[in-house]
PDB file of all heavy atoms in Angstrom:
ATOM      1  N   PHE A 164      -1.404 -12.674  -4.448  1.00 98.00           N
ATOM      2  CA  PHE A 164      -1.908 -11.309  -4.286  1.00 98.00           C
ATOM      3  C   PHE A 164      -1.975 -10.579  -5.625  1.00 98.00           C
ATOM      4  O   PHE A 164      -2.961  -9.907  -5.952  1.00 98.00           O
ATOM      5  CB  PHE A 164      -1.034 -10.539  -3.335  1.00 98.00           C
ATOM      6  CG  PHE A 164      -1.380  -9.083  -3.191  1.00 98.00           C
ATOM      7  CD1 PHE A 164      -2.559  -8.686  -2.544  1.00 98.00           C
ATOM      8  CD2 PHE A 164      -0.542  -8.112  -3.671  1.00 98.00           C
ATOM      9  CE1 PHE A 164      -2.872  -7.392  -2.449  1.00 98.00           C
ATOM     10  CE2 PHE A 164      -0.869  -6.779  -3.574  1.00 98.00           C
ATOM     11  CZ  PHE A 164      -2.064  -6.367  -2.950  1.00 98.00           C
ATOM     12  N   LEU A 165      -0.963 -10.751  -6.466  1.00 98.00           N
ATOM     13  CA  LEU A 165      -0.922 -10.030  -7.719  1.00 98.00           C
ATOM     14  C   LEU A 165      -1.566 -10.726  -8.872  1.00 98.00           C
ATOM     15  O   LEU A 165      -1.758 -10.133  -9.930  1.00 98.00           O
ATOM     16  CB  LEU A 165       0.530  -9.699  -8.119  1.00 98.00           C
ATOM     17  CG  LEU A 165       1.324  -8.833  -7.159  1.00 98.00           C
ATOM     18  CD1 LEU A 165       2.797  -8.687  -7.603  1.00 98.00           C
ATOM     19  CD2 LEU A 165       0.668  -7.442  -7.030  1.00 98.00           C
ATOM     20  N   ASN A 166      -1.984 -11.968  -8.616  1.00 98.00           N
ATOM     21  CA  ASN A 166      -2.519 -12.747  -9.704  1.00 98.00           C
ATOM     22  C   ASN A 166      -4.020 -13.099  -9.547  1.00 98.00           C
ATOM     23  O   ASN A 166      -4.500 -14.047 -10.106  1.00 98.00           O
ATOM     24  CB  ASN A 166      -1.740 -14.054  -9.908  1.00 98.00           C
ATOM     25  CG  ASN A 166      -0.452 -13.722 -10.668  1.00 98.00           C
ATOM     26  OD1 ASN A 166      -0.530 -13.325 -11.813  1.00 98.00           O
ATOM     27  ND2 ASN A 166       0.646 -13.860 -10.000  1.00 98.00           N
ATOM     28  N   GLU A 167      -4.679 -12.306  -8.716  1.00 97.00           N
ATOM     29  CA  GLU A 167      -6.141 -12.483  -8.558  1.00 97.00           C
ATOM     30  C   GLU A 167      -6.854 -11.171  -8.633  1.00 97.00           C
ATOM     31  O   GLU A 167      -6.300 -10.085  -8.438  1.00 97.00           O
ATOM     32  CB  GLU A 167      -6.404 -13.018  -7.097  1.00 97.00           C
ATOM     33  CG  GLU A 167      -5.742 -14.316  -6.768  1.00 97.00           C
ATOM     34  CD  GLU A 167      -6.416 -15.514  -7.372  1.00 97.00           C
ATOM     35  OE1 GLU A 167      -7.524 -15.411  -7.905  1.00 97.00           O
ATOM     36  OE2 GLU A 167      -5.779 -16.633  -7.349  1.00 97.00           O
ATOM     37  N   SER A 168      -8.138 -11.284  -8.968  1.00 96.00           N
ATOM     38  CA  SER A 168      -9.108 -10.202  -8.841  1.00 96.00           C
ATOM     39  C   SER A 168      -8.697  -8.925  -9.553  1.00 96.00           C
ATOM     40  O   SER A 168      -8.092  -8.973 -10.570  1.00 96.00           O
ATOM     41  CB  SER A 168      -9.319  -9.981  -7.312  1.00 96.00           C
ATOM     42  OG  SER A 168     -10.350  -9.065  -7.094  1.00 96.00           O
ATOM     43  N   LEU A 169      -9.091  -7.791  -8.945  1.00 97.00           N
ATOM     44  CA  LEU A 169      -8.963  -6.493  -9.656  1.00 97.00           C
ATOM     45  C   LEU A 169      -7.515  -6.075  -9.797  1.00 97.00           C
ATOM     46  O   LEU A 169      -7.159  -5.350 -10.737  1.00 97.00           O
ATOM     47  CB  LEU A 169      -9.723  -5.399  -8.886  1.00 97.00           C
ATOM     48  CG  LEU A 169     -11.290  -5.581  -8.906  1.00 97.00           C
ATOM     49  CD1 LEU A 169     -11.913  -4.444  -8.023  1.00 97.00           C
ATOM     50  CD2 LEU A 169     -11.799  -5.536 -10.302  1.00 97.00           C
ATOM     51  N   ILE A 170      -6.630  -6.508  -8.923  1.00 98.00           N
ATOM     52  CA  ILE A 170      -5.199  -6.153  -9.022  1.00 98.00           C
ATOM     53  C   ILE A 170      -4.693  -6.745 -10.338  1.00 98.00           C
ATOM     54  O   ILE A 170      -4.034  -6.122 -11.113  1.00 98.00           O
ATOM     55  CB  ILE A 170      -4.393  -6.660  -7.820  1.00 98.00           C
ATOM     56  CG1 ILE A 170      -4.772  -5.880  -6.563  1.00 98.00           C
ATOM     57  CG2 ILE A 170      -2.913  -6.637  -8.091  1.00 98.00           C
ATOM     58  CD1 ILE A 170      -4.005  -4.586  -6.334  1.00 98.00           C
ATOM     59  N   LYS A 171      -4.988  -8.038 -10.552  1.00 98.00           N
ATOM     60  CA  LYS A 171      -4.531  -8.741 -11.747  1.00 98.00           C
ATOM     61  C   LYS A 171      -5.147  -8.054 -12.993  1.00 98.00           C
ATOM     62  O   LYS A 171      -4.434  -7.794 -13.981  1.00 98.00           O
ATOM     63  CB  LYS A 171      -5.011 -10.230 -11.669  1.00 98.00           C
ATOM     64  CG  LYS A 171      -5.032 -10.958 -12.921  1.00 98.00           C
ATOM     65  CD  LYS A 171      -3.736 -11.730 -13.138  1.00 98.00           C
ATOM     66  CE  LYS A 171      -3.792 -12.761 -14.215  1.00 98.00           C
ATOM     67  NZ  LYS A 171      -3.904 -12.253 -15.558  1.00 98.00           N
ATOM     68  N   LYS A 172      -6.455  -7.699 -12.914  1.00 97.00           N
ATOM     69  CA  LYS A 172      -7.073  -7.048 -14.074  1.00 97.00           C
ATOM     70  C   LYS A 172      -6.389  -5.710 -14.359  1.00 97.00           C
ATOM     71  O   LYS A 172      -6.253  -5.325 -15.550  1.00 97.00           O
ATOM     72  CB  LYS A 172      -8.590  -6.822 -13.795  1.00 97.00           C
ATOM     73  CG  LYS A 172      -9.408  -8.036 -13.983  1.00 97.00           C
ATOM     74  CD  LYS A 172     -10.869  -7.706 -13.990  1.00 97.00           C
ATOM     75  CE  LYS A 172     -11.661  -8.948 -14.045  1.00 97.00           C
ATOM     76  NZ  LYS A 172     -12.954  -8.866 -13.415  1.00 97.00           N
ATOM     77  N   SER A 173      -6.023  -4.991 -13.323  1.00 97.00           N
ATOM     78  CA  SER A 173      -5.369  -3.681 -13.549  1.00 97.00           C
ATOM     79  C   SER A 173      -4.007  -3.853 -14.190  1.00 97.00           C
ATOM     80  O   SER A 173      -3.590  -2.993 -14.934  1.00 97.00           O
ATOM     81  CB  SER A 173      -5.253  -2.903 -12.233  1.00 97.00           C
ATOM     82  OG  SER A 173      -4.132  -3.373 -11.445  1.00 97.00           O
ATOM     83  N   VAL A 174      -3.392  -4.984 -13.960  1.00 97.00           N
ATOM     84  CA  VAL A 174      -2.103  -5.279 -14.631  1.00 97.00           C
ATOM     85  C   VAL A 174      -2.352  -5.558 -16.106  1.00 97.00           C
ATOM     86  O   VAL A 174      -1.719  -5.056 -17.019  1.00 97.00           O
ATOM     87  CB  VAL A 174      -1.345  -6.425 -13.968  1.00 97.00           C
ATOM     88  CG1 VAL A 174      -0.088  -6.830 -14.728  1.00 97.00           C
ATOM     89  CG2 VAL A 174      -1.015  -6.095 -12.538  1.00 97.00           C
ATOM     90  N   ASP A 175      -3.374  -6.401 -16.328  1.00 97.00           N
ATOM     91  CA  ASP A 175      -3.774  -6.791 -17.702  1.00 97.00           C
ATOM     92  C   ASP A 175      -4.125  -5.512 -18.517  1.00 97.00           C
ATOM     93  O   ASP A 175      -3.825  -5.415 -19.685  1.00 97.00           O
ATOM     94  CB  ASP A 175      -4.911  -7.757 -17.760  1.00 97.00           C
ATOM     95  CG  ASP A 175      -4.523  -9.137 -17.124  1.00 97.00           C
ATOM     96  OD1 ASP A 175      -3.264  -9.332 -17.017  1.00 97.00           O
ATOM     97  OD2 ASP A 175      -5.401  -9.891 -16.750  1.00 97.00           O
ATOM     98  N   LYS A 176      -4.802  -4.564 -17.810  1.00 97.00           N
ATOM     99  CA  LYS A 176      -5.264  -3.333 -18.491  1.00 97.00           C
ATOM    100  C   LYS A 176      -4.112  -2.313 -18.515  1.00 97.00           C
ATOM    101  O   LYS A 176      -4.386  -1.174 -18.980  1.00 97.00           O
ATOM    102  CB  LYS A 176      -6.469  -2.762 -17.789  1.00 97.00           C
ATOM    103  CG  LYS A 176      -7.743  -3.557 -18.004  1.00 97.00           C
ATOM    104  CD  LYS A 176      -8.990  -2.749 -17.668  1.00 97.00           C
ATOM    105  CE  LYS A 176      -9.444  -2.981 -16.231  1.00 97.00           C
ATOM    106  NZ  LYS A 176     -10.571  -2.194 -15.807  1.00 97.00           N
ATOM    107  N   LYS A 177      -2.939  -2.668 -18.056  1.00 96.00           N
ATOM    108  CA  LYS A 177      -1.777  -1.760 -17.974  1.00 96.00           C
ATOM    109  C   LYS A 177      -2.020  -0.490 -17.185  1.00 96.00           C
ATOM    110  O   LYS A 177      -1.449   0.587 -17.435  1.00 96.00           O
ATOM    111  CB  LYS A 177      -1.312  -1.419 -19.404  1.00 96.00           C
ATOM    112  CG  LYS A 177      -0.836  -2.639 -20.210  1.00 96.00           C
ATOM    113  CD  LYS A 177      -0.039  -2.223 -21.406  1.00 96.00           C
ATOM    114  CE  LYS A 177       0.484  -3.367 -22.238  1.00 96.00           C
ATOM    115  NZ  LYS A 177       0.231  -4.709 -21.969  1.00 96.00           N
ATOM    116  N   ILE A 178      -2.884  -0.599 -16.182  1.00 97.00           N
ATOM    117  CA  ILE A 178      -3.092   0.534 -15.253  1.00 97.00           C
ATOM    118  C   ILE A 178      -2.013   0.526 -14.230  1.00 97.00           C
ATOM    119  O   ILE A 178      -1.462   1.574 -13.847  1.00 97.00           O
ATOM    120  CB  ILE A 178      -4.485   0.412 -14.618  1.00 97.00           C
ATOM    121  CG1 ILE A 178      -5.585   0.584 -15.669  1.00 97.00           C
ATOM    122  CG2 ILE A 178      -4.681   1.453 -13.483  1.00 97.00           C
ATOM    123  CD1 ILE A 178      -6.946   0.211 -15.158  1.00 97.00           C
ATOM    124  N   ASN A 179      -1.700  -0.641 -13.702  1.00 97.00           N
ATOM    125  CA  ASN A 179      -0.645  -0.774 -12.661  1.00 97.00           C
ATOM    126  C   ASN A 179       0.397  -1.776 -13.120  1.00 97.00           C
ATOM    127  O   ASN A 179       0.122  -2.698 -13.869  1.00 97.00           O
ATOM    128  CB  ASN A 179      -1.255  -1.273 -11.340  1.00 97.00           C
ATOM    129  CG  ASN A 179      -2.172  -0.178 -10.742  1.00 97.00           C
ATOM    130  OD1 ASN A 179      -1.749   0.933 -10.599  1.00 97.00           O
ATOM    131  ND2 ASN A 179      -3.345  -0.579 -10.412  1.00 97.00           N
ATOM    132  N   ARG A 180       1.607  -1.561 -12.638  1.00 96.00           N
ATOM    133  CA  ARG A 180       2.711  -2.462 -12.912  1.00 96.00           C
ATOM    134  C   ARG A 180       3.413  -2.819 -11.598  1.00 96.00           C
ATOM    135  O   ARG A 180       3.584  -1.880 -10.761  1.00 96.00           O
ATOM    136  CB  ARG A 180       3.700  -1.680 -13.729  1.00 96.00           C
ATOM    137  CG  ARG A 180       4.303  -2.495 -14.886  1.00 96.00           C
ATOM    138  CD  ARG A 180       5.142  -1.565 -15.731  1.00 96.00           C
ATOM    139  NE  ARG A 180       6.360  -2.244 -15.991  1.00 96.00           N
ATOM    140  CZ  ARG A 180       7.545  -1.719 -16.198  1.00 96.00           C
ATOM    141  NH1 ARG A 180       7.669  -0.399 -16.176  1.00 96.00           N
ATOM    142  NH2 ARG A 180       8.600  -2.450 -16.437  1.00 96.00           N
ATOM    143  N   PHE A 181       3.674  -4.090 -11.382  1.00 97.00           N
ATOM    144  CA  PHE A 181       4.304  -4.462 -10.127  1.00 97.00           C
ATOM    145  C   PHE A 181       5.646  -5.154 -10.374  1.00 97.00           C
ATOM    146  O   PHE A 181       5.700  -6.130 -11.200  1.00 97.00           O
ATOM    147  CB  PHE A 181       3.420  -5.403  -9.326  1.00 97.00           C
ATOM    148  CG  PHE A 181       2.048  -4.759  -9.013  1.00 97.00           C
ATOM    149  CD1 PHE A 181       0.967  -4.883  -9.814  1.00 97.00           C
ATOM    150  CD2 PHE A 181       1.960  -3.951  -7.875  1.00 97.00           C
ATOM    151  CE1 PHE A 181      -0.214  -4.300  -9.521  1.00 97.00           C
ATOM    152  CE2 PHE A 181       0.772  -3.345  -7.529  1.00 97.00           C
ATOM    153  CZ  PHE A 181      -0.353  -3.492  -8.376  1.00 97.00           C
ATOM    154  N   LEU A 182       6.717  -4.694  -9.713  1.00 97.00           N
ATOM    155  CA  LEU A 182       7.983  -5.357  -9.862  1.00 97.00           C
ATOM    156  C   LEU A 182       8.480  -5.730  -8.471  1.00 97.00           C
ATOM    157  O   LEU A 182       8.670  -4.922  -7.603  1.00 97.00           O
ATOM    158  CB  LEU A 182       8.992  -4.355 -10.512  1.00 97.00           C
ATOM    159  CG  LEU A 182       8.689  -4.140 -11.988  1.00 97.00           C
ATOM    160  CD1 LEU A 182       7.984  -2.801 -12.198  1.00 97.00           C
ATOM    161  CD2 LEU A 182       9.935  -4.182 -12.824  1.00 97.00           C
ATOM    162  N   ILE A 183       8.661  -7.092  -8.353  1.00 98.00           N
ATOM    163  CA  ILE A 183       9.078  -7.577  -7.035  1.00 98.00           C
ATOM    164  C   ILE A 183      10.554  -7.850  -7.129  1.00 98.00           C
ATOM    165  O   ILE A 183      11.035  -8.523  -8.043  1.00 98.00           O
ATOM    166  CB  ILE A 183       8.326  -8.889  -6.733  1.00 98.00           C
ATOM    167  CG1 ILE A 183       6.851  -8.775  -6.964  1.00 98.00           C
ATOM    168  CG2 ILE A 183       8.618  -9.370  -5.289  1.00 98.00           C
ATOM    169  CD1 ILE A 183       6.106  -7.826  -6.115  1.00 98.00           C
ATOM    170  N   HIS A 184      11.321  -7.304  -6.147  1.00 97.00           N
ATOM    171  CA  HIS A 184      12.786  -7.436  -6.152  1.00 97.00           C
ATOM    172  C   HIS A 184      13.245  -8.242  -4.973  1.00 97.00           C
ATOM    173  O   HIS A 184      12.977  -7.909  -3.806  1.00 97.00           O
ATOM    174  CB  HIS A 184      13.382  -6.046  -6.091  1.00 97.00           C
ATOM    175  CG  HIS A 184      12.892  -5.123  -7.174  1.00 97.00           C
ATOM    176  ND1 HIS A 184      13.406  -5.116  -8.438  1.00 97.00           N
ATOM    177  CD2 HIS A 184      11.911  -4.192  -7.138  1.00 97.00           C
ATOM    178  CE1 HIS A 184      12.787  -4.167  -9.171  1.00 97.00           C
ATOM    179  NE2 HIS A 184      11.853  -3.619  -8.390  1.00 97.00           N
TER     180      HIS A 184
END
Side-chain angles (χ1 to χ4, degrees):
F164 173 71
L165 296 176
N166 281 296
E167 300 285 348
S168 188
L169 293 178
I170 291 274
K171 162 93 167 68
K172 279 192 188 152
S173 79
V174 174
D175 296 342
K176 288 198 264 177
K177 300 197 178 357
I178 294 169
N179 292 309
R180 223 175 133 207
F181 299 93
L182 289 102
I183 313 295
H184 306 276

